[in-house]
Amino acid sequence: MKNKFFYKMIDSELHFIIEQYNAYLVQNNINTDERKKSFAFNIWFLKKAGVLDGDILSSITEWSWDNSADSIFTLENYDWKTEFYILQSKWNTIQRCEENIDAKTFNWIITEFNEIKQSKKDLFDTRNESFRLKYQQLLNHVRIWGKINFIILTFKNIDLDTKDKKRIDLFNQDKDFVELLIFDINKLKIDYIDEQYKWFKVKNPLISPRKPQEYIELNPVSLNEWNHKIIKFPTPYESYMFFIKPKEIYDLFKKYEYSIFQDNIRNPLEQSGFNKKIADTLKDEPQNFWYYNNWITWIAKRIEKPNLESPDVTIKIKWLQIINWAQTFKTISDYYSNLTSSDRDILDDNVKITFRIINSPGDIFDKNITKYTNSQNTVTPRDFYSNDIEQQRLQKDFFKYTNIWYETRRGEFTKRTPEWIYKIENTFFAQVYLAFYLQSPEKAKSQVGKIFFSKTDNGFYEDIFNKDTKYTDLFIACSIYEFISGKEREYKKKYNHIIKKLKKIEWYEDVIDLMPEVWNSWPSQDEIMELDKAFVFHSSYHILMIYKSFLDVKGGDYWWKLAQWYWGDDKKMLAELDKIYDEIISRMKDYLIPEKYENPWFTLTKYFKSLESTKELKELFWM
């Protein structure tokens, strides 16, 4: 989403924080709007980072005459070790949220951080008691080789040049103990969408990627008198199979929510007949659940070897991701959450779920096993590309620069998006790219099924989505297509009105002499001629292709401005698009109408699905 929209969203949250901490602000003489917002921004980030409410105020080290750090706080990492975080934050006005942080401010922050990093701050050279206390704790932490993370937080952009990147690399040369983290407005924006609209929930939100990275302990159950709880498959990839109770699934989803599905090809679909079947089985036939459903497959980066002979054996896994069964997993959790305590016990006694955990050998294997183990609901070719690097890159760019959210997988955004956000599937972007840039409208119209197949399978994926595909290209093609669709909707109203008149005449034709008012409603000659434009219902992608020939002479920069102006409803640019549209429709009409009347086998539907239509229209418009 655009920076100013995001700014307004967070600004409203800051107003709530200011009200919540009003007594503290008065007590500490924080009375200007600028200082209040700066304080609230600091608090907002601490809450986002997972600092407990009771620890927030004690983490604040900002002081009017000491700007060394705004906050110093601690969090546990994924190995349950304590890490220190030193935060320097910079809030600014909405007019400046599109700007880059200035070099002077950036260099000053790095210099301050270096002094803290090298323990050069004099504890007795500051009147800031809060900073002094936290700094002493930090020094004690360093003495035992504890890790320190330095955070630059700003509601501006941070675009680093080569010199700045080298300086950061030097700062981070020993990342096991010291690391600099940057949270600019675009990083905050993407994290906010992950948390609020994808429901990614992790132990430490400041660590990327946003997946469960700590060890997770599961409790297998025995199904036989010998008490064997786990089956081990040692080669070629260390794997284990065992049974668990529904409670384990409920606890995992409650703790991590959708973050455990990131490596799955799609999120659970909220509206699915499959959900009801699962819930019905849990309710009416819990003893048969195991027979009706296959196993959950998980991949992990590390598995602690369990003691297979122990009657109390548990299994610990790290970097856990569910790569199939997401639909069933979520449905079980939902069903379990609505049960009473006694009903949960009954379900746990009757339902056992088969788990298969594989120690992942690498990304290629992960992708293959994801592909071959997914069968619930209809899995589409698009689903298998949802985690592709180009899809992730394009989504981040749309988040960063536009109010369009690029959807890479079904069910990706679990919360209703804001009303000023346009959620558009990557399939649609692929279609308009095919028509506009690759000049293949017949493929965009009739061969959608090949978009998410590779070239080796006679598909188009690599032609559309590759390292050279820019979000701006997709945005431009989408914008012009949306304009064309709007013109089609306008024409449809006019077309339906004329058809309604004709049907009225037909209805009354036997008594027309007695119904002069019906005769007077006969469509005019101009209206009758309007019906000859009905080809627009079939030719949107072809019209999009033709637009490119008109716009090529003006250059790519003009296209980009035009696309932005379209979404901003700029009257001048809309008038220019209108002018081009009218010329395209006029020439297409003159070309197609004789063809339509002279050939009894001609149909618009078949014609615009054919390669012939593309070739002929290119010749017609000298393309």
Side-chain angles (χ1 to χ4, degrees), residues 137-369:
Q137 294 172 357
L138 184 146
L139 292 176
N140 295 336
H141 178 73
V142 170
R143 291 189 185 102
I144 59 171
W145 300 98
K147 185 175 181 180
I148 309 173
N149 300 280
F150 294 85
I151 299 174
I152 299 177
L153 171 67
T154 177
F155 234 61
K156 287 185 177 181
N157 301 305
I158 296 183
D159 291 326
L160 302 173
D161 59 22
T162 304
K163 182 180 177 182
D164 291 332
K165 289 178 181 177
K166 287 182 178 178
R167 194 171 183 190
I168 289 175
D169 289 341
L170 183 63
F171 192 96
N172 287 340
Q173 59 185 338
D174 193 353
K175 291 182 74 171
D176 288 338
F177 300 102
V178 175
E179 186 170 2
L180 178 66
L181 307 174
I182 293 177
F183 287 83
D184 68 350
I185 190 168
N186 290 306
K187 166 68 173 166
L188 292 171
K189 192 191 305 180
I190 290 171
D191 284 356
Y192 189 83
I193 294 170
D194 281 349
E195 293 163 9
Q196 299 297 321
Y197 295 95
K198 296 185 181 181
W199 286 0
F200 288 172
K201 192 175 180 180
V202 291
K203 182 174 185 287
N204 188 335
L206 303 185
I207 298 177
S208 294
R210 304 173 72 78
K211 303 176 183 179
Q213 298 178 37
E214 69 269 35
Y215 273 107
I216 295 171
E217 187 172 15
L218 298 173
N219 298 283
V221 296
S222 175
L223 290 183
N224 59 49
E225 59 188 66
W226 299 282
N227 206 31
H228 293 158
K229 294 184 176 181
I230 301 177
I231 300 173
K232 181 179 180 180
F233 300 86
T235 58
Y237 311 115
E238 180 189 7
S239 306
Y240 299 88
M241 184 177 286
F242 52 90
F243 301 99
I244 64 167
K245 298 179 179 180
K247 181 181 184 302
E248 297 271 355
I249 286 180
Y250 169 74
D251 289 342
L252 282 168
F253 188 78
K254 183 179 179 182
K255 185 173 184 179
Y256 298 110
E257 295 187 348
Y258 288 83
S259 62
I260 55 177
F261 302 131
Q262 279 198 66
D263 286 346
N264 206 323
I265 55 177
R266 55 169 164 74
N267 278 353
L269 304 178
E270 295 299 324
Q271 302 298 323
S272 168
F274 193 78
N275 298 359
K276 186 176 185 304
K277 292 178 183 178
I278 298 168
D280 287 346
T281 302
L282 291 169
K283 179 183 177 183
D284 302 326
E285 301 178 81
Q287 72 281 1
N288 292 333
F289 185 85
W290 184 83
Y291 297 99
Y292 295 167
N293 293 274
N294 55 18
W295 53 72
I296 302 178
T297 301
W298 294 19
I299 54 174
K301 299 299 183 187
R302 194 177 304 164
I303 304 174
E304 277 197 4
K305 287 182 170 55
N307 181 359
L308 301 179
E309 302 303 319
S310 170
D312 300 317
V313 63
T314 62
I315 187 163
K316 292 182 178 180
I317 49 185
K318 193 170 186 178
W319 281 81
L320 172 72
Q321 282 289 294
I322 298 173
I323 58 170
N324 77 334
W325 236 56
Q327 198 73 36
T328 306
F329 194 97
K330 173 68 163 52
T331 305
I332 292 172
S333 177
D334 289 346
Y335 181 80
Y336 196 89
S337 68
N338 293 319
L339 296 178
T340 64
S341 177
S342 59
D343 286 340
R344 288 181 180 184
D345 291 340
I346 294 171
L347 193 72
D348 284 332
D349 288 340
N350 284 278
V351 174
K352 300 298 181 286
I353 299 139
T354 310
F355 264 41
R356 182 175 64 161
I357 294 181
I358 302 167
N359 202 344
S360 168
D363 290 343
I364 295 176
F365 176 85
D366 293 351
K367 287 179 180 177
N368 286 336
I369 199 168

Side-chain angles (χ1 to χ4, degrees), residues 46-64:
L46 292 176
K47 287 177 177 286
K48 161 189 158 56
V51 177
L52 299 176
D53 287 347
D55 297 332
I56 283 179
L57 290 179
S58 62
S59 302
I60 302 294
T61 57
E62 181 183 14
W63 206 254
S64 58

Side-chain angles (χ1 to χ4, degrees), residues 49 120 191 260 340 402 478 482 518 585:
K120 289 183 178 180
D191 284 356
I260 55 177
T340 64
T402 77
C478 164
E482 285 297 320
V518 176
I585 298 304

Side-chain angles (χ1 to χ4, degrees), residues 438-500:
L438 301 185
Q439 296 284 283
S440 299
E442 81 289 350
K443 293 178 181 178
K445 184 176 178 65
S446 63
Q447 300 182 49
V448 183
K450 292 185 177 182
I451 287 174
F452 289 97
F453 280 95
S454 69
K455 293 176 75 171
T456 56
D457 294 321
N458 199 29
F460 314 139
Y461 187 82
E462 295 88 349
D463 291 331
I464 302 169
F465 299 112
N466 54 66
K467 63 182 178 60
D468 296 321
T469 307
K470 301 180 181 65
Y471 88 94
T472 50
D473 298 337
L474 302 179
F475 183 74
I476 289 165
C478 164
S479 302
I480 298 172
Y481 184 88
E482 285 297 320
F483 174 81
I484 294 167
S485 296
K487 298 297 289 184
E488 181 184 330
R489 288 190 294 271
E490 287 178 17
Y491 175 73
K492 188 172 184 178
K493 290 180 182 178
K494 188 184 295 184
Y495 177 89
N496 288 340
H497 179 68
I498 298 169
I499 294 296
K500 187 176 180 181

Side-chain angles (χ1 to χ4, degrees), residues 365-427:
F365 176 85
D366 293 351
K367 287 179 180 177
N368 286 336
I369 199 168
T370 300
K371 180 177 181 180
Y372 297 131
T373 58
N374 277 277
S375 60
Q376 295 167 355
N377 287 303
T378 302
V379 178
T380 67
R382 175 198 179 209
D383 293 329
F384 293 113
Y385 281 96
S386 59
N387 291 317
D388 183 71
I389 188 171
E390 303 304 341
Q391 297 299 323
Q392 298 302 311
R393 173 180 62 81
L394 289 167
Q395 184 181 72
K396 286 181 179 179
D397 284 343
F398 271 97
F399 284 162
K400 187 174 180 179
Y401 298 111
T402 77
N403 283 339
I404 293 175
W405 287 7
Y406 179 95
E407 188 182 71
T408 64
R409 68 176 79 193
R410 290 182 289 166
E412 181 166 24
F413 301 108
T414 57
K415 181 180 175 182
R416 185 176 179 180
T417 54
E419 60 182 15
W420 36 267
I421 289 294
Y422 301 89
K423 183 176 68 174
I424 301 177
E425 291 183 4
N426 52 1
T427 305

Side-chain angles (χ1 to χ4, degrees), residues 522-558:
W522 182 267
S524 66
Q525 186 63 29
D526 288 342
E527 287 179 314
I528 294 296
M529 292 178 66
E530 280 292 313
L531 297 179
D532 291 338
K533 297 177 183 176
F535 61 84
V536 301
F537 297 138
H538 307 271
S539 58
S540 297
Y541 291 113
H542 290 74
I543 296 170
L544 179 61
M545 172 192 73
I546 297 165
Y547 255 99
K548 190 171 184 294
S549 68
F550 283 86
L551 298 175
D552 269 343
V553 295
K554 296 181 180 288
D557 289 342
Y558 178 81

